[in-house]
Amino acid sequence: MNIGILGAGQLGRMLALAGYPLGCSFRFFDPTPPSAVSAVAPHMCEHYSNTEALDSFIKGLDAVTYEFENVPVEAAEYVASRVALQPGIEALRVAQDRFAERECFRKLGIPVVDSIELPAVQANESHKGIVSKFGVPCVLKARRLGYDGKGQAVVRSEDKILEALSTLKGQDVIVERLVEFTRELSIIAVRGRSGDPKFYPLIENVHHQGILRTSRCPANRVGESLQQEAEDFATRVLAHFSYVGVLTIELFEVNGKLVANEMAPRVHNSGHFSIEGSETSQFENHIRAVMGMPLGSTRPKGSSLMVNLIGVRPDAKKLLAMPQVHFHWYGKAPREGRKVGHVTAVFKGSEERDSKAQEVLACARGT
Amino acid sequence: MNIGILGAGQLGRMLALAGYPLGCSFRFFDPTPPSAVSAVAPHMCEHYSNTEALDSFIKGLDAVTYEFENVPVEAAEYVASRVALQPGIEALRVAQDRFAERECFRKLGIPVVDSIELPAVQANESHKGIVSKFGVPCVLKARRLGYDGKGQAVVRSEDKILEALSTLKGQDVIVERLVEFTRELSIIAVRGRSGDPKFYPLIENVHHQGILRTSRCPANRVGESLQQEAEDFATRVLAHFSYVGVLTIELFEVNGKLVANEMAPRVHNSGHFSIEGSETSQFENHIRAVMGMPLGSTRPKGSSLMVNLIGVRPDAKKLLAMPQVHFHWYGKAPREGRKVGHVTAVFKGSEERDSKAQEVLACARGT
């Protein structure tokens, strides 16, 4: 099966590596060179608005998917009118817009953080008034194109409102209550064409400066009801979009209950552990779904710790000398704040994982 | 790290897929198009005697390895004089020649089957006399270029000697006692640059018409002493060649003892199970060795059954619907006797594996 992927980052790279054993071929489309996929598959480096290039991209493809939720909807629509695109356009459209995403969650009865909309924000007194009325501490988030903490500003006191507004000047914004969460979790779900979804166990995530640093799966202290709650949320979203593929919902745990933060209509950084830590990885399951194949088991093979490698290349020799460690390098040039690889260590149980975590972290960070 | 691979079959394909996560790039050299690697890496399709093409192949490479033991030694020597080639030339040379291989095993004190040499065989009466004197039943094997049962003829009665000789006309041959073995096993070993070898558990193999059909790892009924015996054999061969990479020795079990049949200076079909069935696959460990990285754990993750897909494409949907099954398709056109994919099923224990084996086999063979 020939599969085209819109976007050409490490998520796409890992999708291709998971799909090759199944006999698939891959081709990527993305305007930014050089890419994390260059070494593993052909990358057509053209603008999304270039329909001639899109025509040539989709020629001979059996299916198209995306690995990046900011693919322009128009380009996705153009592709979808010519070849099967999964997940569908609506999921993409909603996931691109934090406001639409909140509305969608609300409509589906999924708890979200209080928020209001602030269209085309200007750093002036009237906007300051609205934010002030909403109350601090709060977070301003660009409605569109935010990722890895970009397009966000936390406002902790009223006198900082104008300053925060000015960083998002000219963009549509949502103003959101700053949540006092116990921890951040994510649920990764996958749905095939036949509709029967599967779920990975809840993942516990730690972010720093808006960038995911570590994930643990299964998360500690997750009762059946918390897992069930997360699966219920995901089930509603999957059904709503007649979704095919992997869907991720980022969640906050607040007073023992879950609140949805955002969704990603794609494989997700918090699911990288699944390459070695699950019977079937999120990448393989996404490809299986797109191919119309039965989904594989999402059962964990142990207790996994995933550490993102950000901005620097660690000493691979030291890392690989640790028996539980699997090293992933994306072939990108290291620069500050850039995800250039990750490390997954799989242990028999969560106690062993948590006792060895510092050692893995120190080795991954070269400290 | 940029790695070049001589040969372009499924072993090369799986080497590349194992090496990409480590950040390696791959390039293949082999005269036969189209190849199993075409979808996953650039393939330079030129004759091994074309040194200009070899020059352009090795340009920018950090290391070269091979995935096929019949790469002409001259080409390997040409490459090795310009860039690090692992495993080395001597292992390649010996593995290409069944007679030299036997001599090598004998010299290292590794038991082999009785055999004699029969240079440039003619199907005439004098050669018939030699074979007759050696005794039947016996096997005639071409010294060179045999694989998957090709270049072999079993002689069960004296009146069939001439007929058997005629099938190997003009080739150097060894005549070998037909072994009454209990079963066929293989040991896969890997040695890094620092020299400390690691071993996978003994694998039990079933061949039919000279082609490997199934492998089980760990093999049943393997005591510590049998495993130790196999590891001792491999250790001697590895040390003899100052070997770097994966080495496979095919063995017969005869009256509870091991007899070496042949060696392959490369990753091996009987080790495919290790992709899902071992903590580190044979492919990743070979790449780690070639890169000069520490080797990964060879510990089994369960009890694996590997079934080769030969000549036909099975119903992937049915296979993938079995929860323990992993499907591998090499992207080759099916034709009779050709290995076009494999299936690995990993179970918690060997009893479960053996009780489910028929079901997996039936599904893989579409029967």
Side-chain angles (χ1 to χ4, degrees):
Chain A
M1 196 169 195
N2 296 317
I3 298 178
I5 299 184
L6 303 170
Q10 58 267 21
L11 298 176
R13 176 181 170 102
M14 290 184 271
L15 282 170
L17 294 181
Y20 281 135
L22 300 172
C24 299
S25 288
F26 291 90
R27 186 187 302 167
F28 288 84
F29 191 101
D30 189 90
T32 329
S35 72
V37 305
S38 312
V40 309
H43 169 195
M44 189 174 286
C45 193
E46 299 286 351
H47 283 285
Y48 282 116
S49 56
N50 183 344
T51 54
E52 219 168 285
L54 283 173
D55 280 336
S56 126
F57 169 67
I58 63 186
K59 208 171 171 185
L61 292 180
D62 302 298
V64 175
T65 187
Y66 44 89
E67 59 92 71
F68 173 55
E69 72 269 39
N70 290 321
V71 169
V73 168
E74 300 68 31
E77 278 174 337
Y78 186 85
V79 168
S81 68
R82 284 153 179 84
V83 57
L85 176 84
Q86 299 291 0
I89 297 291
E90 273 315 296
L92 182 69
R93 193 195 310 276
V94 168
Q96 285 184 2
D97 177 352
R98 286 181 193 278
F99 187 73
E101 194 176 69
R102 294 296 153 98
E103 289 300 295
C104 173
F105 284 143
R106 279 196 193 102
K107 212 174 79 182
L108 297 172
I110 298 168
V112 288
V113 178
D114 278 353
S115 63
I116 54 161
E117 196 188 356
L118 214 61
V121 75
Q122 304 299 327
N124 65 24
E125 289 300 322
S126 75
H127 283 89
K128 185 183 163 190
I130 300 172
V131 178
S132 170
K133 206 167 163 189
F134 184 78
V136 290
C138 66
V139 192
L140 306 183
K141 293 182 175 176
R143 269 181 68 164
R144 296 173 180 281
L145 300 173
Y147 73 98
D148 282 355
K150 283 165 188 146
Q152 298 199 11
V154 179
V155 185
R156 296 189 188 275
S157 62
E158 292 218 0
D159 58 335
K160 299 283 185 191
I161 294 175
L162 274 181
E163 192 182 309
L165 283 169
S166 70
T167 66
L168 293 161
K169 212 168 156 180
Q171 296 181 69
D172 289 347
V173 158
I174 65 166
V175 185
E176 187 183 275
R177 195 79 58 217
L178 186 70
V179 193
E180 296 278 340
F181 55 79
T182 317
R183 54 177 173 165
E184 293 170 282
L185 298 164
S186 56
I187 181 87
I188 297 185
V190 56
R191 186 175 180 270
R193 282 199 210 147
S194 60
D196 203 19
K198 282 181 187 276
F199 307 93
Y200 291 84
L202 274 166
I203 305 155
E204 183 166 346
N205 303 313
V206 175
H207 288 80
H208 178 63
Q209 296 178 329
I211 304 177
L212 181 66
R213 305 289 157 154
T214 65
S215 294
R216 284 165 209 240
C217 186
N220 291 323
R221 305 179 311 281
V222 169
E224 225 175 87
S225 69
L226 206 68
Q227 178 72 28
Q228 194 54 58
E229 202 180 349
E231 293 187 10
D232 285 348
F233 293 176
T235 302
R236 282 178 232 171
V237 176
L238 292 170
H240 176 70
F241 290 112
S242 301
Y243 198 94
V244 173
V246 164
L247 168 83
T248 309
I249 305 180
E250 292 186 41
L251 304 153
F252 296 128
E253 186 180 343
V254 183
N255 299 324
K257 302 291 285 178
L258 297 176
V259 174
N261 179 32
E262 59 183 72
M263 60 176 264
R266 53 165 171 80
V267 289
H268 194 258
N269 193 169
S270 66
H272 290 2
F273 79 90
S274 64
I275 296 175
E276 294 89 7
S278 305
E279 291 195 348
T280 315
S281 76
Q282 63 165 350
F283 301 102
E284 178 172 343
N285 261 335
H286 185 76
I287 297 296
R288 287 197 193 196
V290 167
M291 290 174 80
M293 287 284 160
L295 303 177
S297 163
T298 52
R299 203 162 47 182
K301 282 178 175 172
S303 290
S304 297
L305 168 69
M306 190 284 303
V307 181
N308 269 337
L309 303 174
I310 297 167
V312 287
R313 183 177 172 91
D315 184 341
K317 267 194 189 174
K318 272 195 192 159
L319 274 170
L320 289 172
M322 299 183 74
Q324 304 87 351
V325 162
H326 299 269
F327 175 59
H328 295 257
W329 187 252
Y330 307 147
K332 293 157 72 173
R335 67 170 185 247
E336 209 193 319
R338 191 180 210 198
K339 293 173 181 169
V340 284
H342 77 269
V343 158
T344 297
V346 185
F347 300 92
K348 281 208 176 117
S350 57
E351 269 184 37
E352 191 191 355
R353 172 187 68 192
D354 298 336
S355 73
K356 294 272 179 71
Q358 274 314 315
E359 200 184 327
V360 177
L361 275 164
C363 197
R365 291 173 184 169
T367 50
Chain B
M1 196 169 194
N2 295 317
I3 298 179
I5 299 184
L6 302 170
Q10 59 267 20
L11 298 175
R13 177 182 169 101
M14 290 184 272
L15 281 169
L17 294 181
Y20 281 135
L22 300 172
C24 299
S25 287
F26 292 90
R27 184 187 303 167
F28 288 85
F29 192 102
D30 189 271
T32 329
S35 72
V37 306
S38 313
V40 310
H43 169 196
M44 190 175 285
C45 193
E46 299 285 350
H47 284 285
Y48 282 116
S49 56
N50 183 343
T51 53
E52 219 169 285
L54 283 172
D55 280 336
S56 126
F57 170 66
I58 61 186
K59 207 171 170 185
L61 292 180
D62 302 297
V64 175
T65 187
Y66 44 89
E67 59 92 72
F68 174 57
E69 72 269 39
N70 290 322
V71 168
V73 168
E74 300 69 30
E77 278 174 337
Y78 186 86
V79 168
S81 67
R82 283 153 180 84
V83 57
L85 177 85
Q86 298 292 1
I89 297 291
E90 273 315 296
L92 182 68
R93 192 194 312 274
V94 167
Q96 285 185 2
D97 177 352
R98 286 182 193 280
F99 187 74
E101 195 175 68
R102 294 297 152 98
E103 289 301 295
C104 173
F105 284 144
R106 279 196 192 100
K107 211 175 78 183
L108 297 172
I110 298 169
V112 289
V113 178
D114 278 353
S115 63
I116 54 161
E117 195 187 356
L118 215 61
V121 74
Q122 305 299 328
N124 65 23
E125 289 299 321
S126 74
H127 283 90
K128 186 183 164 189
I130 300 172
V131 177
S132 171
K133 206 167 163 190
F134 184 79
V136 291
C138 67
V139 191
L140 307 182
K141 293 182 174 176
R143 269 182 68 164
R144 296 173 180 281
L145 298 174
Y147 73 98
D148 281 356
K150 285 166 186 145
Q152 297 200 12
V154 178
V155 185
R156 295 190 187 274
S157 62
E158 292 217 2
D159 59 334
K160 299 284 186 191
I161 294 176
L162 275 181
E163 192 182 308
L165 283 169
S166 70
T167 66
L168 293 162
K169 213 168 156 181
Q171 297 180 69
D172 288 348
V173 158
I174 65 167
V175 185
E176 186 182 276
R177 194 79 58 215
L178 187 70
V179 192
E180 296 278 342
F181 55 79
T182 317
R183 55 177 172 165
E184 294 170 281
L185 298 165
S186 56
I187 181 88
I188 297 185
V190 56
R191 186 175 181 270
R193 282 199 210 147
S194 60
D196 202 20
K198 282 181 187 274
F199 307 93
Y200 291 85
L202 273 166
I203 305 156
E204 183 166 346
N205 303 313
V206 176
H207 289 79
H208 178 62
Q209 298 177 328
I211 304 177
L212 180 65
R213 305 290 157 154
T214 65
S215 294
R216 283 164 211 242
C217 187
N220 292 322
R221 305 179 310 282
V222 170
E224 225 175 88
S225 69
L226 207 69
Q227 178 72 29
Q228 194 54 56
E229 202 181 350
E231 293 186 11
D232 284 349
F233 293 175
T235 302
R236 283 177 232 172
V237 176
L238 292 171
H240 175 69
F241 291 112
S242 301
Y243 199 93
V244 173
V246 164
L247 168 84
T248 309
I249 305 180
E250 292 187 42
L251 303 154
F252 296 128
E253 185 179 344
V254 184
N255 299 324
K257 302 291 286 177
L258 297 176
V259 174
N261 180 31
E262 59 182 71
M263 59 176 262
R266 54 164 170 81
V267 288
H268 193 258
N269 193 169
S270 66
H272 290 1
F273 80 90
S274 64
I275 296 175
E276 294 89 7
S278 305
E279 290 194 349
T280 315
S281 76
Q282 63 166 349
F283 302 101
E284 178 172 342
N285 261 335
H286 185 75
I287 297 297
R288 287 197 194 196
V290 167
M291 290 173 80
M293 286 285 158
L295 303 177
S297 163
T298 52
R299 203 161 49 180
K301 282 179 175 171
S303 289
S304 297
L305 167 69
M306 189 285 303
V307 181
N308 269 337
L309 303 174
I310 296 168
V312 287
R313 183 177 171 91
D315 184 339
K317 268 194 188 176
K318 272 194 192 160
L319 274 170
L320 289 172
M322 299 182 75
Q324 304 87 352
V325 162
H326 299 269
F327 175 60
H328 294 258
W329 187 252
Y330 308 147
K332 293 158 73 173
R335 67 170 186 247
E336 210 192 319
R338 190 180 212 199
K339 293 173 181 169
V340 283
H342 76 268
V343 158
T344 298
V346 185
F347 300 92
K348 282 209 176 114
S350 57
E351 271 185 34
E352 192 191 353
R353 172 187 68 191
D354 298 338
S355 73
K356 293 275 180 69
Q358 274 314 315
E359 199 185 327
V360 178
L361 276 165
C363 197
R365 291 171 182 169
T367 52

